[in-house]
Amino acid sequence: MTISADHTAQHPAPEAQTPGAAAPGPAPEDAASEAVRKFGITVEDYMLPARHQIQMVGPDGTLTPHTEQGAQPGHEYSLPGDDELLAAYEQLVVGRRVNDQNSALVRQGRMAVYPSSHGQEACQVAAALCLSEGDWMFPTYRDSVAVMARGVDPVQTMTLFRGDWHGGYDPSRHKVGIQCTPLTTQLLHGVGVAHAAKLRGEDTVVLAMCGDGATSEGDFHEALNFAAVFHLPVVFFVQNNQYAISVPLAHQSVAPSLAHKAVGYGMAGERVDGNDIVALLAVLGRAVRLAREGSGPLLVEAHTYRMQAHTNADDATRYRQDSEVAEWVAKDPLSRMKTYMTDRGLLDDDRAAGIAEKAEAVATQLREGLSEEVPVEPQDLFKYVFSTPTPQLKEQSAMLADELARDATSKSEVAK
Amino acid sequence: MSPTLTTSSEANGNVSAATARAAATAAAKAEQTGPQTITLAKALNTAMADAMHADPSVLVFGEDVGMLGGVFRITDGLTKTFGKSRCFDTPLAESGIVGMAVGMAMNGMRPVIEMQFDAFAYPAFEQIVSHVAKMHNRTKGTVKLPMVIRVPYAGGIGGVEHHCDSSEAYYAHTAGLKVFTPATVADGYRMLREAIDSDDPVMFMEPKKLYWSKDQVDLDALRAEHAENTERGTSSEGRAAVARPGTDATLIAYGPSVPTALAAAAAAAEEGRSLEVIDVRSLVPFDDETICASVRKTGRAVVIAEAHGFASVASEIVARVQERCFHHLAAPIRRVTGFDVPYPAPKLEHYYLPGVDRILDAVDDLQWED
């Protein structure tokens, strides 16, 4: 695809320049102009989300008629293939089981806290499945299911919430950023990863995730703007689950939709039914493809719902009505997909049983892994602050070692 | 190069072309060898150019660092020499600059980024404190962030508000950040090369009032020293330096306060008092050894810093030294620091800044009659 490089890369090689010729060259052919050419629509029609959210399978599990899917010229989507749908359905079932298992483990005191993505599993799974092997994901604390769906070991993923360390997997190995608690700060890390890859000529795409409340943060703005200005292959994926702890979206933003924010940065936005994994796969798949082909960044807003409280420490009944929750039960991502897959003949009892078995195996892995008492190593406190500990840290490490040695001695003396 | 090449090959081509070009430039440049008089600004600029020449993953970016060469011209010529892929301007957003650098460092680059002024780095505080400082720790050492955040800091240039803060204590207080501050031209080169070489993030605090201070240095000798240190795995990183030897009392200073301390020592010498001046150089890690050796020898010490004294690096130095040298002390350690007021307007700053007289008064107070 012949699309322009970023502002830093498209100018003539500096050796050909005379002093002062480092000045910006002619205006780059930007993503928008490219889209106009490619899709035959106006810049505005490319950047603005389609007039309605993209939905392919409705809450009742039937295929939404093509004319009602929300697509319009330049925003057209085709149904993902059967194998892709089956793989996604399996991950959905596993994801729901993971959420339920982890919440149970918190109730049993085996984990300190677990921000559940119950109800948002379609977003979680699609986020992982839309990426290729060399791509990166930058998740938040609520995206554990996406992290696991990306291939990270479930028990390692839970390290943060079990409380033995801040993270349990190697981000570089899995190309999954450490789950981030400070809101939207990780979007900029995703931008940096994409920028480095682009400078090396790699075709890496980064999926950078955040929630609706997070779009109020300054780093959301800075990340989108940097990605757009440097023309980077980043897909910003906002799971709009309606609440930032207790505060509803109406108190965060009065934009027509969060996807509409894209146009202000000169990038394309799209909104999608976040409980419809078929539409999510189509929309995120297209976004990742466009980003890889050089369209620059895109913003996808998924409309979903946080079915449970913010965390186990939160009481959702203080700020929302049961009736509202009930409305969303009817829009559940799993049940609609089960109906759809069964009606399509893609899912029979045997296959469903096989998938349930796989989900149960992951739950067992979590139960066993998190029941295991992993001894913590006090000296780890000092080990990873710097590549080489400073003299000050060596001193403090010796002090703790000495304290522990004296503790051990006095305990053994008491035992005598 | 055609502007319709694909994104990837074009960017790739730029990096390698820039590297080759830099090599050619360096080779062709019949640079003056032997000792020469240069500014701290030039030393810093040369350190970045040499590091970029040596390693294509070293990138420089920030506000106005490209065409303009930075508001203090510290990045002058880097874009021209290395191309816009290696030294470039960013949108005006400090958190964005630092956050993007974090991601680049995670993905194989060694970003050297510029915060335009001390106080303008505050929007990046969350990225620095929550991510730059903690990433290595949170990931049990699997992610290293080899990045340098250059901060022109401190006052003495008649700057208006928000341009003269001494912000080093915020960073020194944050576990996981190295904090360097050069005071001499040679150290400008030496320490910036070390900072860029560091696999851990470094806050590189540049005393802006010293940017145009000059000294005679031999850049080739400094390059050779760097090459030798790299080969042997040795360096001056984390070490304080004796800036002026003396016997009667120790002045402990860093960054912009080092020349003031040296001036005070020179004035004291005329009155027959021999003051040793220590240039701390690295606030983190801290060189207890060199500093305590001096204080044990002299038995008296004054710590000098421009920053507010309360809860400051100067306070930390006093605490550390007295914990380690109590029985060698003839008098309590004194601090000469900025007052605990917001950095004053230009016409008032000379009342605020630690000066020679205030230092000598503190030295006079070190119970000499006992």
Side-chain angles (χ1 to χ4, degrees):
Chain A
M1 176 171 185
T2 55
I3 193 159
S4 71
D6 71 12
H7 299 174
T8 67
Q10 68 191 314
H11 303 300
E15 68 242 358
Q17 294 181 350
T18 49
E29 189 193 11
D30 56 24
S33 337
E34 176 63 21
V36 171
R37 196 183 58 72
K38 183 172 178 177
F39 297 113
I41 53 177
T42 65
V43 170
E44 290 77 11
D45 283 343
Y46 171 68
M47 287 189 190
L48 284 169
R51 291 180 65 81
H52 301 285
Q53 69 170 5
I54 307 297
Q55 184 193 71
M56 291 177 148
V57 173
D60 63 357
T62 59
L63 192 68
T64 308
H66 190 72
T67 50
E68 290 166 31
Q69 285 181 3
Q72 60 193 52
H75 299 251
E76 286 133 340
Y77 297 93
S78 47
L79 270 179
D82 292 352
D83 289 346
E84 196 182 347
L85 293 181
L86 205 55
Y89 179 70
E90 179 177 315
Q91 289 294 328
L92 268 185
V93 175
V94 171
R96 174 62 53 84
R97 188 70 192 90
V98 163
N99 276 329
D100 292 347
Q101 180 62 73
N102 282 336
S103 298
L105 287 166
V106 171
R107 286 194 298 274
Q108 294 158 18
R110 308 246 186 92
M111 247 191 313
V113 66
Y114 178 67
S116 176
S117 60
H118 189 114
Q120 298 174 223
E121 289 91 347
C123 294
Q124 296 285 299
V125 170
L129 295 189
C130 71
L131 297 174
S132 300
E133 205 183 321
D135 296 339
W136 276 76
M137 170 192 278
F138 279 84
T140 75
Y141 53 87
R142 199 177 298 287
D143 298 321
S144 303
V145 167
V147 172
M148 291 177 204
R150 186 84 177 112
V152 179
D153 177 81
V155 177
Q156 282 183 9
T157 307
M158 285 301 115
T159 302
L160 164 67
F161 302 112
R162 173 159 67 176
D164 21 331
W165 203 259
H166 310 300
Y169 55 89
D170 176 357
S172 311
R173 197 182 131 216
H174 296 284
K175 297 195 160 40
V176 176
I178 185 165
Q179 280 180 269
C180 196
T181 338
L183 302 180
T184 64
T185 51
Q186 77 283 4
L187 303 184
L188 282 162
H189 307 163
V191 167
V193 163
H195 202 158
K198 180 176 174 178
L199 287 175
R200 284 196 299 265
E202 298 159 1
D203 70 347
T204 308
V205 172
V206 173
L207 185 87
M209 303 166 77
C210 72
D212 48 305
T215 62
S216 299
E217 291 281 0
D219 277 1
F220 177 81
H221 160 67
E222 296 191 21
L224 269 68
N225 193 45
F226 271 58
V229 167
F230 291 112
H231 207 71
L232 301 175
V234 182
V235 175
F236 295 97
F237 182 41
V238 179
Q239 288 167 82
N240 172 4
N241 69 8
Q242 317 297 330
Y243 286 92
I245 303 189
S246 66
V247 178
L249 181 63
H251 293 247
Q252 300 289 347
S253 172
V254 293
S257 81
L258 297 176
H260 278 80
K261 291 184 179 232
V263 69
Y265 299 100
M267 68 171 81
E270 196 71 288
R271 50 192 160 162
V272 54
D273 180 344
N275 286 11
D276 172 7
I277 193 155
V278 180
L280 279 160
L281 289 171
V283 170
L284 285 174
R286 171 187 181 261
V288 167
R289 194 174 58 248
L290 287 176
R292 203 183 310 284
E293 287 170 355
S295 77
L298 298 102
L299 171 64
V300 174
E301 174 193 4
H303 204 233
T304 181
Y305 195 76
R306 195 193 73 213
M307 296 300 291
Q308 297 177 345
H310 170 65
T311 65
N312 44 302
D314 175 38
D315 174 8
T317 62
R318 292 175 72 102
Y319 51 82
R320 66 187 191 189
Q321 302 295 321
D322 289 349
S323 56
E324 184 185 287
V325 181
E327 274 174 40
W328 281 90
V329 172
K331 299 179 192 168
D332 186 75
L334 262 84
S335 54
R336 87 166 73 171
M337 194 58 180
K338 188 175 184 184
T339 307
Y340 176 70
M341 297 289 284
T342 309
D343 291 354
R344 283 272 316 271
L346 294 171
L347 187 70
D348 56 21
D349 288 350
D350 277 358
R351 210 158 224 175
I355 290 172
E357 210 172 294
K358 282 186 185 163
E360 205 43 49
V362 176
T364 306
Q365 199 185 347
L366 280 167
R367 270 197 314 277
E368 288 175 353
L370 296 169
S371 304
E372 206 179 311
E373 205 44 60
V374 182
V376 290
E377 173 47 65
Q379 287 299 334
D380 280 356
L381 287 177
F382 307 102
K383 232 168 153 176
Y384 308 110
V385 185
F386 296 104
S387 301
T388 312
T390 60
Q392 288 69 40
L393 287 176
K394 283 183 193 157
E395 226 177 83
Q396 291 165 25
S397 144
M399 180 186 131
L400 179 63
D402 179 56
E403 266 178 32
L404 294 172
R406 280 185 285 123
D407 270 6
T409 314
S410 61
K411 269 182 200 146
S412 70
E413 274 166 12
V414 170
K416 280 177 202 164
Chain B
M1 217 181 257
S2 152
T4 51
L5 281 177
T6 63
T7 303
S8 51
S9 65
E10 182 166 3
N12 200 26
N14 247 17
V15 170
S16 48
T19 306
R21 189 165 49 254
T25 312
K29 205 189 283 176
E31 208 172 76
Q32 190 187 337
T33 52
Q36 51 181 307
T37 302
I38 63 166
T39 59
L40 174 62
K42 177 67 182 166
L44 295 166
N45 179 271
T46 308
M48 277 186 278
D50 286 358
M52 292 173 86
H53 173 54
D55 180 353
S57 67
V58 176
L59 307 173
V60 171
F61 54 94
E63 294 156 6
D64 302 297
V65 301
M67 268 180 58
L68 181 67
V71 293
F72 292 107
R73 307 292 183 269
I74 310 300
T75 58
D76 190 30
L78 297 181
T79 299
K80 196 175 155 227
T81 309
F82 296 97
K84 287 197 159 199
S85 297
R86 307 256 336 255
C87 176
F88 54 90
D89 293 322
T90 64
L92 216 165
E94 294 76 14
S95 186
I97 294 167
V98 175
M100 183 167 79
V102 167
M104 290 179 119
M106 285 180 80
N107 197 9
M109 298 298 187
R110 299 184 93 86
V112 181
I113 56 178
E114 177 173 301
M115 296 284 105
Q116 198 156 75
F117 282 88
D118 33 61
F120 298 158
Y122 300 147
F125 199 64
E126 182 184 21
Q127 284 289 348
I128 295 173
V129 170
S130 294
H131 296 296
V132 176
K134 291 178 180 165
M135 192 66 79
H136 187 262
N137 189 254
R138 292 160 79 205
T139 60
K140 277 207 167 177
T142 57
V143 176
K144 294 188 197 310
L145 296 182
M147 57 187 279
V148 180
I149 304 179
R150 296 181 35 248
V151 185
Y153 84 117
I157 58 157
V160 294
E161 60 171 350
H162 311 302
H163 289 72
C164 299
D165 281 12
S166 287
S167 48
E168 68 273 20
Y170 302 127
Y171 308 119
H173 184 72
T174 301
L177 299 173
K178 289 180 180 173
V179 185
F180 298 173
T181 179
T184 68
V185 175
D187 268 353
Y189 181 87
R190 195 181 274 134
M191 293 174 71
L192 188 50
R193 290 299 306 266
E194 286 168 0
I196 296 171
D197 288 345
S198 168
D199 282 339
D200 297 312
V202 178
M203 297 300 301
F204 198 82
M205 310 300 289
E206 299 171 359
K208 66 173 85 73
K209 80 169 182 193
L210 301 183
Y211 273 148
W212 312 114
S213 65
K214 289 179 180 163
D215 202 359
Q216 209 178 55
V217 297
D218 184 341
L219 281 170
D220 283 336
L222 284 169
R223 287 183 181 115
E225 175 193 296
H226 177 264
E228 199 179 309
N229 280 334
T230 307
E231 201 183 307
R232 288 194 197 158
T234 52
S235 79
S236 65
E237 189 190 295
R239 300 309 301 261
V242 179
R244 175 189 171 109
T247 52
D248 297 339
T250 303
L251 303 182
I252 305 166
Y254 58 83
S257 298
V258 173
T260 320
L262 285 168
E270 285 174 20
E271 295 168 11
R273 198 166 265 164
S274 166
L275 301 183
E276 181 148 298
V277 178
I278 301 284
D279 174 357
V280 178
R281 301 175 79 248
S282 170
L283 306 184
V284 182
F286 189 79
D287 186 359
D288 287 303
E289 199 184 328
T290 302
I291 290 158
C292 290
S294 173
V295 176
R296 285 192 192 106
K297 180 180 76 177
T298 62
R300 289 177 170 85
V302 177
V303 182
I304 302 136
E306 271 192 30
H308 318 135
F310 191 82
S312 65
V313 171
S315 307
E316 172 64 22
I317 296 175
V318 172
R320 303 187 73 79
V321 174
Q322 72 82 20
E323 277 175 353
R324 286 162 176 78
C325 307
F326 185 75
H327 295 292
H328 295 81
L329 289 173
I333 303 168
R334 289 289 308 269
R335 279 174 299 163
V336 178
T337 66
F339 299 125
D340 296 328
V341 300
Y343 195 86
K347 289 182 181 170
L348 287 159
E349 75 176 350
H350 69 282
Y351 297 109
Y352 169 91
L353 293 169
V356 168
D357 289 345
R358 212 173 275 162
I359 295 169
L360 293 176
D361 285 350
V363 170
D364 284 344
D365 273 354
L366 296 174
Q367 303 184 9
W368 299 94
E369 62 286 351
D370 288 354

